[in-house]
Amino acid sequence: MKNAFTFTFPGTTTGLAAAVLTPNPTVACSIAVQVVLTSTGTVQILGSVDGTNTVALLATNLADGTTTASITASGIYRVDATGLRTLQPNVTANGSGVSITASQVDG
């Protein structure tokens, strides 16, 4: 079980992160995600129940309570991960660098 990671997309790199978070399936949990965009970018947090097929999950911005499936601003977000087998960031646009740090929060 891997319940924390940091991954950086340098330059204008896009795509799925090599880092995959595997939440503890035996507890109700959420994932705290900090996104730092050097300039512009779009990040989706993809989740899977079967470990193969993924969907973009809603992320709640902890600063203002808004939700989105496409993160376009630096900030700290919360994603419900209860029952999910994997979570993986996907960067679909990158102006000049994206850093993503995520960790599981039980309860």
Side-chain angles (χ1 to χ4, degrees):
M1 197 172 357
K2 181 173 182 176
N3 56 9
F5 68 75
T6 298
F7 197 81
T8 301
F9 290 81
T12 57
T13 305
T14 59
L16 286 171
V20 176
L21 191 135
T22 53
N24 183 342
T26 64
V27 298
C29 65
S30 59
I31 305 299
V33 181
Q34 183 165 11
V35 175
V36 178
L37 304 172
T38 304
S39 64
T40 60
T42 303
V43 177
Q44 293 179 316
I45 305 299
L46 304 180
S48 176
V49 172
D50 64 9
T52 301
N53 300 295
T54 62
V55 297
L57 302 173
L58 284 178
T60 301
N61 184 322
L62 296 183
D64 62 18
T66 58
T67 59
T68 184
S70 295
I71 299 168
T72 59
S74 293
I76 299 175
Y77 297 83
R78 181 179 53 241
V79 177
D80 182 8
T82 302
L84 297 179
R85 189 167 169 192
T86 62
L87 281 96
Q88 184 174 21
N90 182 34
V91 173
T92 58
N94 184 354
S96 63
V98 176
S99 177
I100 301 163
T101 302
S103 63
Q104 178 175 317
V105 180
D106 294 344

